Each structure stands twice: as C-alpha cells, then as structure tokens.
Amino acid sequence: MLFKIVAVVDGLLLLIVSLFSINRFVLVKLFKKHRGRQDTAAAIPDGKLPRVTVQLPLYNEYYVAERLIESACALDYPAHLLEIQVLDDSTDETLELTRRVVHHFRERGVNIVHLHRAERTGYKAGALAYGCERAHGEFLAVFDADFVIPPDFLRRTIPHFADANVGVVQTRWTHLNENYSMLTRATAFGLDGQFVVEQPARSWGNIFLTFNGTAGVLRAECVHAAGGWHHDTLTEDLDLSYRAQILGWKIKYLGNVTCDSEIPADIHGLKAQQFRWTKGTQETARKILPILWKSDVSLWHKVQGTIHLLGNSVHPFIFALGIMNPLLVVAAAAANVRLLWPVSLYFLFSLYGTFAYYAVAQRALHKDWKRRLLAFPLFMAASIGLSVNNAHAAILGLTRKKSPFVRTPKYALQDKGQSWTTKRYRSKISGAVVLELLLGLYTSAVVVYALISREWGAVPFLVLFASGYLMIGGCSLQHVWASRAAATEPGEPSDGPRDRRRAPHWRMPRRQPVMATAGVGARTPSGVGRAFQRRVILPFAIGAGAVSALSCGAQQFTTRSLHDAGTAAAPVVAQSLRRDPSSATLGVAARATAKPSDGMARRRANVVPQHE
C-alpha cells in the first residue's frame, strides 16, 4: 500500500516537471524555424534621431557605479539629443562617488543629472518612476549597475522603433566574468539558453516575451500607456512587459546587439538573485494571469503566456521530487518491485527537452559547443540544488508574502585572481544551506542503499540530486568560511570599502608555476582544479564519508539484530528438525537452487544457523 501511494505521488511530480520541459521543444522548434533571420533596420541620420533618456538606477554599487556612468557618457549619440539620469538611492560612499563622477562629466558638456531620493520607496521600480517624471526623452534606455554599455548601443536599437507598434527593444546579455569560476560558468550556461533560444523564439514566433529590466530601450509612450512602473512585485520589468503587450504593444528582441554584464560571483549573491526573480515572477503571475485571460488576445497567446509566467512554479515540484525519489527506491525494494528503470528512463526523457534547449543555444554561440555541453550535468545539478531556495521563493510569491528587494552584490570581478571576500556587500547566508546539506546526505544514503540492493535504475537520478544538493550546500559553507576568514577588522565600517586584502587562513598556498624547460611550455597554475576540489569533491567526500559511516553502523546494527533473532530461534529450529529431519535437506536444496535475483532472500535465510 505504501509503495502504491509513493509511486503515484512520484509519478505525478515527474509528469508535472516533464510538462515544463516539454514546452521547451516548442521554443526550440520556433527558434529553428527562424534560425538565420537577421533583424536589421535602416540607420537614421543624425538630423532625424529622437531624444533619448538613459536611466541608470543604482543602490550602494561602489565597485561598478563609475564604470557604468563612464560607459553611458561614451555613447555615440548627438549630445543635444542625449540625457543621462543617475538614479542613485545609495546610502553609503557610493552616493558621494556618483556625485563626483556626474560633476566631472557635466563640466565636460555631458547632459547628465544626479537624482537622489531620501526614501527608497518602491526600490528599483520607484527609482525608474521617479526618473520618468523628470525625463525629457521620447525613448528610455535602462541599464543596471553591473552592465557596460557599448558605444553604438543607441545607434543600433533606436532604428527598430520605426514600427509604431514596437514599445520595447531588448538586447542580448553577454558576460564579463563567465570564466571566473565554475559557478559563473554554470550561471552563464543557463542564461545563454534564455537569451539565445527563448527570447528570439518568442519574438520571432510573435508570442509574449519580457523586457529583462536592463540593456533595453522603451518607448516613453508605451510606459505611460501601460500604467507606468509598479512596485507591487519584485519583477517590475516582467509586470510592465505583460501589461504593455496585452494592450497591443510589441517587444522586439535583438540577439545580434549585445551588452556586457557581470554574473554573481558568490553563491549567496546568486541565491539572492534567483530568489528575487522567482518570487517576483510568481507575484507577477498572480497579478497578470486574470488580466491575461480576460483580454481579447488569442488562446495561443494566453496558453504560452501562462506557461511563461508560471515557469518558476516548477521549483516546488523539483524540491518535492527530491524528497519522494529516495522514498520510492526504498518502498520499491521493500515491496520487491522492479520499477526504477522505467522511472529513470522517463526522468531522462523529460530532461531531453531541457537538454535540447541548451544544446541549441551553445551550438548557436560557440564552435566548441560539444565540449561546452559537458557542463550540462553540472548545470542540472546546480539547478536541483538551488530548488530549495527557489521553492521557498515560489511559495512566498503565490501566497502573497511580502519581502524586501534584496539586490545582488556586484564586485567588478573578471580575473580569476580577484576575490569577492575582500569586498563590501558580502551577502548573508540563508537558512536553506542546512536543508540542502540534509537533503544531500539523505539522498546519498539512499544511493548507497540502491547499490547494496542492486536497484541500478535508481542510481542515475539519485546521484544527480545528491550531487546538486551537496554542491550548492558545500558552496554555501565555503562562502561562510571565506566571509569569516576575511571579516572586517576592528575600526572599519562593517560594509565599508576595503583596500587591504587579508588572505583567508584556511586556504592552501597557491602552487608556483612550473618553469619552462626545453620542449615544454611554461605552465601557469589553474584555479579550475582547486575550485573543483574545494566546491564539489570536498563537500561530496564529506557527505559520502558521513553516509558510509551511517550505512556501516546500520549494517552492524542489522546484522547484530538478525544474529540475536537467529540465536533466539535456534531451539525452535532444532525442535522442528527433530520432528522432521528431511526439512534440513529441503532447506539446503532450496538454497542451492535459489536464483541470483533472490539474493536478499538468500542472505536472510543464511542468517539462521543450521543445527544438528
């Protein structure tokens, strides 16, 4: 009975997760149908260019604020048609820094203004609304603090507004620090799928897509017609995108126009970003779905819009699947049912849509796309590990639980030799790390159980889940150790800028580079191996050691219990043999003819000693 209940629940969870994955086949098909399409627009002469306001919302961005402002002031656009707004809500030294930089460029003739709000009402959405009230541009270009604006950005995007129905133009994100660590590579791998496959497919397929909140241009008329910026969700960009598209405005995506950005370099910065995106998407879905289904857009747009808005609802189901899968293995073994191979095959099949989604993206971007696809298991494991954090966010978003806008720290890190541990704005640890490690140990224990009981079909997806939980939990622990090792010394502000770097005491010294010899090129020490050992192998080894200890203890306890039971049963067995001596011969014959698949039953029989 228990097995049937667990199997039904696990099957329903797998079905729901697979539906989210299968829809990616639709996006891949749309992308392939229009692949090779070039979205070009005729250049506009300087005399006919419209007035543009560039908005730069900032909040305590000491390390990247100056870089962003400099790139905005370097835009190739007529000076008399360009207005730059630095929307700085900072409460630390960033405010003085941005004022100084703005003053510097104003003296050189740049039309740039510094706007500061005493109260940060509405967070980013409130800052953008505050800027819109004072903007003079016909178009609004928005860039987050961690972006670097290419000089020709406006020249390449403004011509696409020749179509009066186009309300937003979104460009593709590229990554300044993709190769900084395994974490940034896995994050870039996931973002490439969205910006190389999903956004173009939705744009070319004429279905709803989103303005991503940065690296895009909006028509001011479109923003005002849609009701302006609302701050009742954490994803104000997605909210505005759907309100505008329901009214008939179009969002055009330009994959051939790129804008560099910085990926979160530490695990808790990534968790904060994922939490905000997931919770905000759920809040927007709760707000927009009734409006969408009451509108007069086509059924196809309603269905695709619903799937798009509810995409992050998959995280609670993945989290529940991580709990139910090990239970299914144990229940199936107890019921002597071999169901795990079909379950594993269905799980792998449901992942194929996701795999194709990211494979197409890597093939479109890189010549060495086959080698890069080797990172797919790492990405999937990281996604599963993050499901604990994201499931919490998704549930809060749907249950109307309010939470503050927690920004993602930016450190201007590009080289592997740089470290975020010496910077301010280090994000705080979340309570999810405890649950991640517990789930990792729990799943690892069932991996050992599956190997002992020869449930080979359960091993692949159990290992994927276990490695994901242990990897994210291990990275979180490493984040805590690094933060404590680089803690602010007495006398300095707790979140102030740090000019001195104190090496964490727990780190091993870096290897010296091997000197070049005849016929051998000089080797430089790579941080990839050390990062892999520290962030993947070490947590997994700790978890595996704990699991081994627990399993050995459990085995000894079980053996002792069975031996005691056999000793207690010995007089009974001896008495039965005296009544019927032939039973001993039958027992030996039964064991001799036992099939290999009856290994567990044979081992149980061998525990009972035979007496003369």
Side-chain angles (χ1 to χ4, degrees):
M1 183 64 182
L2 175 63
F3 168 74
K4 292 182 179 179
I5 296 175
V6 174
V8 170
V9 173
D10 193 81
L12 289 175
L13 291 173
L14 271 176
L15 177 62
I16 294 171
V17 172
S18 66
L19 291 177
F20 286 95
S21 178
I22 289 172
N23 187 62
R24 288 183 168 172
F25 278 117
V26 178
L27 298 176
V28 170
K29 184 177 180 180
L30 285 173
F31 176 82
K32 289 183 174 181
K33 180 180 179 181
H34 300 279
R35 183 165 47 190
R37 173 175 170 177
Q38 296 294 327
D39 290 318
T40 59
I44 302 176
D46 287 2
K48 296 184 178 180
L49 285 172
R51 190 177 181 86
V52 177
T53 298
V54 176
Q55 296 183 312
L56 311 177
L58 300 171
Y59 176 69
N60 293 352
E61 302 289 0
Y62 186 82
Y63 299 104
V64 295
E66 186 173 359
R67 181 182 69 183
L68 172 67
I69 297 173
E70 288 179 350
S71 66
C73 294
L75 280 166
D76 177 20
Y77 206 76
H80 66 286
L81 297 175
L82 181 64
E83 176 190 30
I84 301 174
Q85 292 181 338
V86 179
L87 308 172
D88 191 0
D89 290 345
S90 298
T91 57
D92 65 357
E93 291 87 346
T94 306
L95 183 61
E96 189 60 33
L97 171 66
T98 55
R99 283 174 176 165
R100 186 171 63 249
V101 175
V102 168
H103 178 72
H104 169 79
F105 282 105
R106 282 188 66 86
E107 288 186 337
R108 283 155 178 75
V110 178
N111 182 15
I112 182 171
V113 295
H114 187 281
L115 301 176
H116 174 70
R117 299 184 301 160
E119 295 184 4
R120 196 175 170 228
T121 305
Y123 307 109
K124 179 183 174 182
L128 291 173
Y130 185 80
C132 283
E133 295 173 357
R134 293 155 179 81
H136 300 92
E138 182 183 347
F139 296 95
L140 308 169
V142 181
F143 299 93
D144 282 348
D146 54 324
F147 279 71
V148 179
I149 312 170
D152 61 348
F153 185 87
L154 295 179
R155 295 276 188 181
R156 300 182 65 184
T157 54
I158 292 299
H160 292 273
F161 286 97
D163 182 353
N165 291 323
V166 174
V168 181
V169 169
Q170 174 66 52
T171 63
R172 179 165 64 89
W173 296 3
T174 48
H175 318 295
L176 292 166
N177 60 335
E178 176 178 354
N179 295 318
Y180 177 76
S181 66
M182 287 195 308
L183 183 66
T184 56
R185 283 193 291 274
T187 306
F189 189 93
L191 289 173
D192 286 342
Q194 179 184 359
F195 283 93
V196 178
V197 174
E198 180 170 353
Q199 288 285 67
R202 290 183 174 276
S203 180
W204 296 337
N206 195 29
I207 55 180
F208 287 172
L209 64 154
T210 178
F211 164 59
N212 296 106
T214 179
V217 184
L218 303 94
R219 192 188 296 269
E221 180 187 354
C222 170
V223 175
H224 296 311
W229 296 101
H230 295 179
H231 54 80
D232 53 347
T233 73
L234 292 179
T235 49
E236 67 288 329
D237 44 11
L238 180 63
D239 177 20
L240 177 63
S241 300
Y242 266 80
R243 283 187 280 117
Q245 290 174 106
I246 290 173
L247 292 177
W249 293 97
K250 294 181 180 179
I251 298 180
K252 190 170 186 178
Y253 180 76
L254 302 179
N256 58 337
V257 181
T258 61
C259 192
D260 286 334
S261 64
E262 183 177 327
I263 298 173
D266 66 291
I267 182 62
H268 287 284
L270 177 62
K271 282 184 175 181
Q273 184 185 73
Q274 292 290 316
F275 186 96
R276 188 176 69 248
W277 288 354
T278 301
K279 184 174 186 291
T281 302
Q282 297 293 88
E283 291 173 337
T284 303
R286 191 189 65 227
K287 173 183 177 179
I288 294 296
L289 282 179
I291 302 174
L292 175 65
W293 281 92
K294 291 178 182 177
S295 67
D296 56 356
V297 299
S298 67
L299 179 61
W300 174 244
H301 283 82
K302 292 177 180 178
V303 171
Q304 280 298 321
T306 301
I307 296 174
H308 186 205
L309 289 173
L310 292 177
N312 284 317
S313 299
V314 72
H315 295 297
F317 296 104
I318 294 177
F319 173 70
L321 200 59
I323 297 175
M324 296 302 299
N325 278 340
L327 288 178
L328 179 64
V329 174
V330 176
N336 197 24
V337 176
R338 298 285 177 175
L339 185 65
L340 278 305
W341 272 117
V343 173
S344 288
L345 289 175
Y346 182 79
F347 179 73
L348 294 175
F349 169 75
S350 67
L351 287 181
Y352 182 72
T354 302
F355 176 78
Y357 176 83
Y358 291 105
V360 170
Q362 294 302 311
R363 185 174 184 178
L365 283 179
H366 306 288
K367 293 182 179 180
D368 59 340
W369 62 275
K370 292 182 179 179
R371 180 182 65 83
R372 289 176 177 268
L373 278 179
L374 296 176
F376 180 74
L378 174 67
F379 166 74
M380 286 303 303
S383 300
I384 291 171
L386 286 170
S387 66
V388 178
N389 176 77
N390 293 344
H392 180 215
I395 293 172
L396 289 180
L398 288 177
T399 55
R400 301 178 183 271
K401 298 291 185 180
K402 293 296 181 182
S403 60
F405 186 100
V406 180
R407 66 177 188 82
T408 306
K410 292 99 177 178
Y411 306 117
L413 300 177
Q414 298 184 38
D415 300 327
K416 293 180 180 179
Q418 297 175 297
S419 175
W420 55 266
T421 59
T422 60
K423 307 278 188 179
R424 60 162 67 191
Y425 311 135
R426 294 190 296 269
S427 51
K428 298 180 181 179
I429 186 173
S430 65
V433 60
V434 177
L435 190 54
E436 289 160 1
L437 292 173
L438 288 176
L439 282 172
L441 295 176
Y442 160 66
T443 312
S444 298
V446 181
V447 170
V448 175
Y449 177 83
L451 292 173
I452 293 175
S453 59
R454 299 182 181 181
E455 295 285 359
W456 311 118
V459 173
F461 65 87
L462 286 178
V463 169
L464 184 64
F465 276 78
S467 59
Y469 293 133
L470 292 177
M471 180 175 68
I472 298 300
C475 287
S476 299
L477 285 182
Q478 188 265 348
H479 176 96
V480 176
W481 295 334
S483 297
R484 290 180 177 177
T488 305
E489 296 179 357
E492 287 190 7
S494 60
D495 60 345
R498 293 183 53 86
D499 297 325
R500 300 189 300 274
R501 177 175 180 177
R502 185 174 66 184
H505 68 279
W506 50 269
R507 281 190 178 173
M508 297 181 63
R510 293 182 179 273
R511 296 178 298 171
Q512 295 297 324
V514 179
M515 301 302 295
T517 57
V520 181
R523 292 173 53 199
T524 58
S526 171
V528 177
R530 287 190 299 276
F532 184 78
Q533 294 172 14
R534 186 171 65 250
R535 300 181 181 180
V536 178
I537 295 181
L538 179 61
F540 190 81
I542 294 174
V547 170
S548 299
L550 291 173
S551 61
C552 289
Q555 184 177 5
Q556 292 178 1
F557 175 77
T558 304
T559 303
R560 188 181 300 111
S561 300
L562 290 175
H563 177 72
D564 294 343
T567 304
V572 179
V573 175
Q575 184 177 1
S576 63
L577 289 175
R578 283 193 296 269
R579 294 174 181 173
D580 186 7
S582 62
S583 61
T585 305
L586 293 175
V588 173
R591 289 194 297 273
T593 58
K595 297 180 181 179
S597 60
D598 299 329
M600 293 297 293
R602 187 168 64 255
R603 284 194 293 271
R604 295 193 187 97
N606 289 336
V607 172
V608 182
Q610 300 293 328
H611 296 276
E612 294 282 337

